[in-house]
Amino acid sequence: LADTLRQVHADPAARRRLWVATALLCLREDPHPADECAGGARARKGQGSGHKPVTIVEEVMRHGLRGMTVQDMHAVQRMHEHAAHFAALAGGDAAYGVGASPRLVLGRAVRLAGDQWRACLITGLVASLPGLEASPSANAFRAWRLSAPTRSAVARYTGLAEAILALGLDDAWQLSPLLCGKELMARGVPKGRPVGQAMEALVDWQLEHPEASVEDARAWVADWVARHSYAEIRGA
């Protein structure tokens, strides 16, 4: 976990975004009506039907923090979103689901979080830590750091980070399908939505078979097509 934190800390932009994400954790679940926010008039602009409600986190970043770019705000929101996913996985193998492969479950988590997966994991850890009083004394901080809930949270997330690294999944977010959409269609996958579904299934298979070759992928596609009728794929 220390190495994971060091990698985030080495990137000034990632470090700044992580600081903002963890500082605003207490507000992340609180959707706020735009007309009650400090920047209500600006927040209401362009908010027609179909738009998600503005949250306090968004308002704070837009109007309360100087120098926050659109990319920064999206990164912080992504950290909050995927921190919850890593929090569930930090519960151990039972959180993966019955019969689920750790490679597949952890690989999917890394892929969904993208290149920010380390920051998302750390944000999840911070969210899982027990509360600490403002401006604690040295003794109070030491007691908090050594408390069973704190040590348990750190141990769970350390195990999660170590599992991702041990399985070689730290770069899983960069994993590309071994076959392109054109080849999938040439091998029997119907045009349109089924291609995307087959591509997603192929990447999942690659997560579980990291040594697979292009020829292996072609054999997998033939089996996948044989197991799925067009109607089944279209209705999935």
Side-chain angles (χ1 to χ4, degrees):
L1 188 59
D3 287 341
T4 299
L5 182 57
R6 274 193 290 270
Q7 289 202 38
V8 175
H9 195 267
D11 181 341
R15 184 171 66 243
R16 181 180 67 253
R17 293 166 179 174
L18 178 60
W19 184 90
V20 173
T22 54
L24 298 181
L25 274 171
C26 60
L27 304 177
R28 73 191 189 282
E29 302 293 343
D30 193 0
H32 205 69
D35 56 357
E36 294 179 12
C37 295
R42 286 170 291 181
R44 283 195 301 272
K45 185 177 179 181
Q47 269 207 327
S49 60
H51 287 75
K52 294 196 303 184
V54 174
T55 65
I56 292 181
V57 168
E58 291 175 276
E59 285 296 299
V60 169
M61 289 192 293
R62 286 179 183 175
H63 310 304
L65 296 177
R66 292 185 177 181
M68 288 289 289
T69 66
V70 172
Q71 291 78 13
D72 290 334
M73 290 188 283
H74 287 169
V76 169
Q77 290 171 316
R78 192 175 184 84
M79 287 180 203
H80 283 181
E81 176 185 353
H82 293 287
H85 194 182
F86 282 110
L89 296 179
D93 292 348
Y96 297 170
V98 178
S101 158
R103 279 198 62 87
L104 178 58
V105 174
L106 295 177
R108 281 176 173 173
V110 171
R111 286 183 59 77
L112 286 171
D115 61 346
Q116 296 184 116
W117 73 265
R118 292 178 175 84
C120 294
L121 187 148
I122 294 167
T123 303
L125 167 60
V126 174
S128 300
L129 292 171
L132 179 65
E133 64 184 70
S135 303
S137 65
N139 286 338
F141 177 75
R142 184 174 184 276
W144 172 86
R145 182 169 60 84
L146 297 177
S147 69
T150 298
R151 291 166 67 90
S152 174
V154 171
R156 291 197 312 274
Y157 278 86
T158 297
L160 183 58
E162 289 177 347
I164 290 171
L165 296 176
L167 291 170
L169 295 170
D170 46 318
D171 289 328
W173 58 275
Q174 298 186 90
L175 182 64
S176 298
L178 288 169
L179 305 176
C180 66
K182 184 178 293 187
E183 181 162 2
L184 290 177
M185 288 187 288
R187 293 181 177 277
V189 178
K191 184 178 180 181
R193 183 182 175 190
V195 173
Q197 294 171 333
M199 198 82 76
E200 183 178 347
L202 174 57
V203 171
D204 280 352
W205 176 80
Q206 289 176 219
L207 286 171
E208 295 191 274
H209 301 84
E211 304 301 325
S213 66
V214 171
E215 287 304 318
D216 294 331
R218 287 169 178 158
W220 175 87
V221 170
D223 179 67
W224 190 85
V225 170
R227 290 185 288 107
H228 293 77
S229 70
Y230 175 49
E232 288 174 342
I233 298 172
R234 183 174 55 186

